[in-house]
Amino acid sequence: MTAPGDGTDHPFALTAVPAPDGVLHVELAGDLAWDSADELLDAARGHLDPAAAPADIRLDCARLTLCDSMGLSALLALHRLATAAEVRLHLDRRPPHLDRLLRLTGTHAHLTGLPEAAGSDGDASDGTSDGPRLPGP
């Protein structure tokens, strides 16, 4: 197994499955990076038609191996698109490297709707670390 950022390319893939309850489940796998960010946004735009938009989009990030600055930009753009369409965006099963990126860039609360102390499963932390913590007051 290789670590994120080890220089190995992990081809990006996504699978979108609309559920009968009005939730769009999207599984992300591989590297969400400069060469794949548009693929995520194009797929999302196809599901955000105001006449048939889902109530929620749930991104399953468990198999995401890397998220670079363009990947983060794509997540922020997706959040804007979803908000404009009155669709709630959820980042589920975030790997530690994604949570770390979100915390370092100050986008964790914005993209997850959770305080920075929340773990990658969405549960509030009891003070124990779910990954590296930034020094602070």
Side-chain angles (χ1 to χ4, degrees):
M1 179 178 219
T2 56
D6 65 0
T8 305
D9 287 334
H10 300 95
F12 181 73
L14 70 87
T15 305
V17 179
D21 61 358
V23 176
L24 176 65
H25 296 273
V26 180
E27 182 180 331
L28 305 178
D31 296 348
L32 180 56
W34 66 272
D35 59 345
S36 57
D38 285 340
E39 186 177 341
L40 173 60
L41 291 175
D42 291 343
R45 281 186 193 103
H47 292 280
L48 289 174
D49 174 7
D56 294 274
I57 296 176
R58 301 202 75 98
L59 295 183
D60 182 345
C61 302
R63 295 181 47 215
L64 200 61
T65 53
L66 177 125
C67 183
D68 71 3
S69 60
M70 284 299 293
L72 177 59
S73 179
L75 292 175
L76 290 166
L78 176 55
H79 185 272
R80 281 191 303 275
L81 291 169
T83 300
E86 298 181 359
V87 174
R88 290 176 303 273
L89 177 65
H90 307 270
L91 303 181
D92 297 333
R93 299 186 339 140
R94 297 178 311 276
H97 65 86
L98 180 57
D99 269 343
R100 182 171 188 274
L101 175 67
L102 299 179
R103 287 187 180 105
L104 287 172
T105 59
T107 58
H108 187 275
H110 179 71
L111 287 175
T112 65
L114 300 169
E116 284 195 22
S120 58
D121 60 0
D123 292 331
S125 172
D126 62 358
T128 59
S129 177
D130 64 334
R133 295 234 185 240
L134 296 174

